[in-house]
């Protein structure tokens, strides 16, 4: 495991008490905390070299441009993209997916076509495709999950015919923790002539991710779930696809030339970055990627495997608990959804908050999945590099407190 | 032991008053809070004098929403529709006697919203925030 004592020193927010108890932050699947390196990188930009990027003919702007573009290169390297031109900065994964839905989906999907998504998609990788289907007349079909909380690959094969234009799947479920066999999905999709969009909002922060070996066509991710600032995210797209796509938003920065009659688009990736971008946020994301690379993504994954193994073992001993997600740690990440018998997830989360423990409760932006599981809501604990085994002990103790409080 | 889960709230949650449904209610309404999945239905039987003879609530959700519904049925039993109309969100919060953040306040006020929907025959529009 990673030395969380040392790592925790890098995260100032963790050193505080909530309701008189040391904070235990178990909601990184919603948003991770930020290391000093990220906070300082953004602070330094604002203090010493803030200027707009790309057009200034003076030192500050040149420094800002260099830092902004360096961040892009760091992201490209982090996911092993072939070129920095394949990385488009967005506000978050949701915006990245919408970019594809608008600029690629609405151009390439027709009433004859099918879009496949899994039943465990976050609304961010579901609603945009519902909209594309509604507007184009295409059919949206769902790849079912089986009793092990994994995708039914046989059902996937059965759905995958020549009408399918796009398979949009999550790398890791934000509710169940299930890690999808992405390479397997891609091989079969490509054989059927479909493209694959990977929602990496949960996967990229926690798993080594190599877009070339996965061979995905698009990858969306959010910076704030991977130690970076809110308002940062990116879209990876294969170059020939991005080249063919029209701009998503238009205006300044994304043009090469504008006349009274019209405009020519800028080259990749600037064609997709209209207006002044989130410069500080991109620089912060670059620092986050450096931090994660410094730890090593294999080590990050191993750390979370150990946390998840211990958490599943301890949680399964809590009376009246129901855990939703695969049991085997090699098939899942560190987001664990559960319910306590007879307690609403909101009550569980509220009682845990009294104990200084932050978890999520609700439908986690996956309402159809909860409907399928027959529950209104679940509680969810999720882990990251700064979490320790002793925090899982605190979680289990607090759950016992909750059970006793409502048990009477 | 716990501010948010005062004994009175736990009591109403564990032993809800007037839980169930009425046959042939004069007024009925159901609404939910999709964010957390709280669901409340309220049935009323109002007599010729405009008084609430019988009230039942049904639903599922967190302790705050269910306790609030249970307490609300006690508050309006035997009251006139006019008196029930006059109930404000502050009356509910006073009865619960707890401080609630912006998310949980929606749970607490859902039953009142449903009651007003039953009385007026359409979803209520009062401000839930703050």
């Amino acid at each position: 495991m990673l030395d969380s004592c040392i790592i925790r020193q890098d995260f100032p927010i963790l050193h505080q008490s909530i309701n008189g108890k040391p904070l235990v932050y178990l909601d990184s699947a919603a948003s991770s905390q930020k290391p000093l390196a990220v906070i300082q990188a953004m602070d330094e930009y604002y203090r010493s070299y803030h200027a707009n990027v790309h057009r200034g003919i003076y030192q500050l702007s040149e420094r800002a441009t260099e830092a902004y573009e360096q961040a892009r290169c760091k992201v490209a390297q982090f996911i092993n993209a072939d070129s920095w031109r394949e990385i488009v900065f967005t506000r978050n994964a949701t915006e990245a997916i919408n970019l594809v839905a608008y600029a690629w989906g609405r151009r390439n999907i027709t009433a004859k076509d099918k879009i496949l998504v899994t039943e465990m998609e976050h609304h961010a990788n579901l609603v945009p495709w519902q909209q594309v289907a509604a507007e184009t007349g295409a059919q949206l079909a769902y790849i079912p999950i089986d009793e092990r909380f994994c995708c039914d690959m046989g059902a996937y094969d059965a759905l995958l015919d020549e009408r399918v234009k796009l398979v949009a799947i999550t790398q890791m479920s934000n509710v169940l923790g299930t890690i999808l066999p992405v390479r397997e999905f891609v091989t079969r999709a490509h054989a059927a002539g479909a493209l694959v969009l990977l929602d990496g909002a949960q996967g990229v922060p926690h798993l080594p991710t190599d877009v070339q070996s996965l061979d995905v066509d698009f990858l969306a991710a959010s910076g704030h779930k991977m130690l970076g600032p809110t308002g940062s995210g990116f879209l990876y797209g294969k170059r020939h696809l991005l080249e063919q796509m029209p701009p998503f938003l238009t205006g300044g920065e994304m043009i090469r030339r504008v006349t009274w009659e019209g405009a020519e688009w800028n080259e990749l990736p600037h064609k997709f970055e209209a207006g002044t971008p989130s410069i500080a946020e991109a620089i912060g994301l670059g620092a986050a990627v450096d931090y994660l690379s410094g730890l090593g993504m294999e080590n990050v994954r191993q750390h979370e495997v150990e946390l998840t193994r211990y958490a599943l073992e301890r949680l399964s001993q809590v009376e009246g608990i129901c855990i939703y997600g695969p049991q085997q740690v090699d098939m899942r990440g560190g987001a664990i959804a559960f319910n306590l018998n007879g307690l609403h997830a909101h009550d569980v989360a509220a009682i845990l908050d009294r104990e200084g423990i932050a978890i999520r409760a609700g439908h986690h932006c996956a309402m159809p999945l909860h409907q399928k599981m027959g529950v209104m809501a679940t509680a969810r604990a999720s882990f990251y590099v700064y979490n320790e085994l002793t925090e899982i002990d605190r979680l289990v103790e607090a759950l016992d407190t909750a059970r006793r409080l409502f048990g009477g | 032991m716990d501010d948010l889960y005062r004994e009175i709230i736990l009591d109403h949650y564990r032993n809800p008053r007037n839980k169930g449904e009425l046959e042939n209610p004069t007024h009925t309404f159901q609404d939910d809070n999709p964010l957390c999945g709280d669901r409340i239905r309220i049935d009323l039987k109002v007599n010729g004098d405009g008084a609430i003879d019988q009230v039942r609530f049904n639903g599922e959700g967190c302790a705050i929403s269910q306790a609030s519904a249970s307490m609300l049925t006690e508050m309006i039993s035997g009251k006139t529709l006019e008196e029930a109309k006059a109930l404000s969100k502050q009356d509910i919060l006073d009865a619960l006697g707890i401080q609630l953040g912006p998310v949980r306040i929606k749970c607490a006020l859902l039953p009142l919203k449903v009651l007003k929907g039953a009385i007026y025959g359409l979803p209520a529009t009062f401000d839930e925030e703050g």
Side-chain angles (χ1 to χ4, degrees):
Chain A
M1 289 184 81
L2 296 168
D3 189 340
S4 48
C5 267
I6 293 177
I7 289 176
R8 290 174 75 82
Q9 289 171 11
D10 295 332
F11 291 81
I13 200 169
L14 298 177
H15 306 283
Q16 64 175 302
S17 290
I18 304 283
N19 296 314
K21 314 269 172 62
L23 167 65
V24 173
Y25 187 76
L26 300 179
D27 196 21
S28 295
S31 197
S32 73
Q33 299 300 350
K34 321 302 172 200
L36 271 172
V38 168
I39 300 166
Q40 284 165 348
M42 296 172 73
D43 187 68
E44 194 201 343
Y45 162 69
Y46 279 127
R47 283 176 191 274
S48 55
Y49 64 97
H50 166 74
N52 211 333
V53 289
H54 293 142
R55 285 170 304 280
I57 315 294
Y58 52 90
Q59 265 201 26
L60 287 187
S61 177
E62 282 168 6
R63 275 187 69 191
T65 303
E66 196 184 346
Y68 180 74
E69 291 303 327
Q70 248 174 22
R72 193 192 308 278
C73 292
K74 289 173 183 177
V75 169
Q77 205 172 8
F78 188 67
I79 59 163
N80 195 32
D82 184 45
S83 159
W84 57 270
R85 290 190 184 276
E86 296 177 320
I87 305 297
V88 179
F89 281 129
T90 60
R91 275 192 306 133
N92 45 40
T94 299
E95 187 177 287
I97 294 169
N98 273 276
L99 193 163
V100 178
Y102 277 89
W104 182 84
R106 281 164 175 75
R107 296 272 170 151
N108 291 282
I109 291 172
T110 68
K112 304 191 303 291
D113 298 329
K114 260 164 69 173
I115 304 165
L116 300 187
V117 300
T118 77
E119 285 182 338
M120 63 176 98
E121 294 311 312
H122 186 283
H123 295 163
N125 198 28
L126 173 56
V127 180
W129 305 118
Q130 286 179 334
Q131 292 303 305
V132 170
E135 285 179 30
T136 60
Q139 186 197 344
L140 180 66
Y142 295 92
I143 304 160
I145 54 171
D146 60 22
E147 67 291 343
R148 300 169 307 144
F149 301 99
C150 294
C151 283
D152 181 338
M153 297 303 277
Y156 172 50
D157 282 336
L159 287 167
L160 198 56
D161 56 36
E162 72 287 348
R163 289 174 56 207
V164 177
K165 272 279 172 68
L166 178 74
V167 178
I169 56 169
T170 184
Q171 190 176 6
M172 184 200 293
S173 163
N174 70 312
V175 179
L176 308 171
T178 311
I179 297 172
L180 273 65
V182 176
R183 191 68 189 82
E184 201 52 45
F185 268 96
V186 173
T187 306
R188 299 183 196 186
H190 284 174
L195 298 187
V196 175
L197 177 139
L198 187 63
D199 174 2
Q202 295 296 330
V204 170
H206 302 282
L207 305 170
T209 303
D210 179 332
V211 289
Q212 292 192 74
S213 89
L214 291 174
D215 200 23
V216 292
D217 301 287
F218 298 105
L219 168 75
S222 283
H224 72 96
K225 293 190 204 287
M226 49 190 286
L227 309 182
T230 54
S232 70
F234 64 90
L235 171 72
Y236 156 83
K238 283 182 181 165
R239 190 164 176 171
H240 70 276
L241 293 169
L242 295 178
E243 296 279 11
Q244 290 161 13
M245 285 156 55
F248 172 38
L249 302 170
T250 54
E253 172 70 25
M254 50 72 63
I255 45 81
R256 184 197 306 275
R257 191 194 329 271
V258 179
T259 64
W260 294 121
E261 289 73 34
E264 284 172 36
W265 311 140
N266 203 338
E267 58 191 0
L268 287 178
H270 311 297
K271 179 172 86 174
F272 293 109
E273 293 180 3
T276 295
S278 300
I279 303 165
E281 286 73 11
I283 291 168
L285 174 57
V289 163
D290 282 344
Y291 190 92
L292 286 171
S293 301
L295 295 176
M297 286 308 291
E298 292 289 351
N299 299 328
V300 169
R301 168 63 183 151
Q302 199 48 46
H303 180 74
E304 290 173 22
V305 164
E306 295 308 325
L307 288 169
T308 306
R309 191 195 312 277
Y310 184 66
L312 287 172
E313 186 188 307
R314 290 293 321 267
L315 286 172
S316 63
Q317 290 158 7
V318 174
E319 206 180 306
I321 201 169
C322 179
I323 297 172
Y324 307 91
Q327 288 297 313
Q328 303 92 316
V329 286
D330 57 333
M331 291 168 65
R332 61 167 304 142
I336 303 180
F338 61 91
N339 268 322
L340 284 185
N341 189 22
L343 268 75
H344 190 282
H346 270 196
D347 294 321
V348 174
I351 292 163
L352 263 55
D353 180 50
R354 291 295 193 273
E355 303 293 322
I357 303 171
I359 64 159
R360 201 97 186 145
H363 51 64
H364 318 298
C365 293
M367 288 177 95
L369 173 63
H370 279 77
Q371 201 179 0
K372 166 145 185 160
M373 298 195 298
V375 290
M376 290 186 295
T378 52
R380 182 189 69 191
S382 56
F383 313 126
Y384 212 1
V385 293
Y386 35 69
N387 288 120
E388 311 176 281
L389 296 174
T390 51
E391 293 181 306
I392 292 164
D393 296 332
R394 292 264 313 274
L395 170 67
V396 170
E397 281 164 31
L399 289 176
D400 280 328
T401 304
R403 210 173 37 77
R404 281 198 301 274
L405 184 65
F406 281 87
Chain B
M1 134 174 215
D2 198 289
D3 293 344
L4 186 56
Y5 296 99
R6 300 167 62 213
E7 195 48 50
I8 186 167
I9 290 176
L10 290 174
D11 179 44
H12 275 269
Y13 180 57
R14 292 176 190 140
N15 312 298
R17 325 293 200 264
N18 301 307
K19 183 131 189 213
E21 291 175 12
L22 291 176
E23 273 181 37
N24 306 315
T26 55
H27 299 71
T28 184
F29 199 73
Q30 177 175 317
D31 202 357
D32 61 7
N33 190 348
L35 189 71
C36 40
D38 298 332
R39 185 179 58 78
I40 299 283
R41 167 181 163 154
I42 291 180
D43 294 347
L44 303 176
K45 237 176 208 170
V46 177
N47 65 25
D49 301 330
I52 298 171
D53 265 351
Q54 288 185 69
V55 51
R56 293 282 185 280
F57 87 94
N58 213 345
E60 46 188 341
C62 69
I64 306 294
S65 71
Q66 302 302 303
S68 171
S70 173
M71 292 164 96
L72 179 65
T73 63
E74 287 196 324
M75 289 162 76
I76 62 170
S77 253
K79 296 276 168 49
T80 66
L81 275 187
E82 289 311 309
E83 287 169 317
K85 278 182 190 171
L87 279 176
S88 69
K89 67 176 184 182
Q90 197 54 50
D91 294 327
I92 302 294
L93 297 179
D94 288 347
L96 289 166
I98 48 178
Q99 295 288 323
L100 292 168
V103 174
R104 295 315 291 282
I105 202 165
K106 289 187 185 349
C107 309
L109 294 179
L110 178 63
L112 180 63
K113 197 175 162 195
V114 171
L115 172 68
K116 302 252 166 147
I119 295 172
Y120 291 105
L122 72 175
T125 53
F126 60 82
D127 178 20
E128 289 171 351
E129 307 294 337

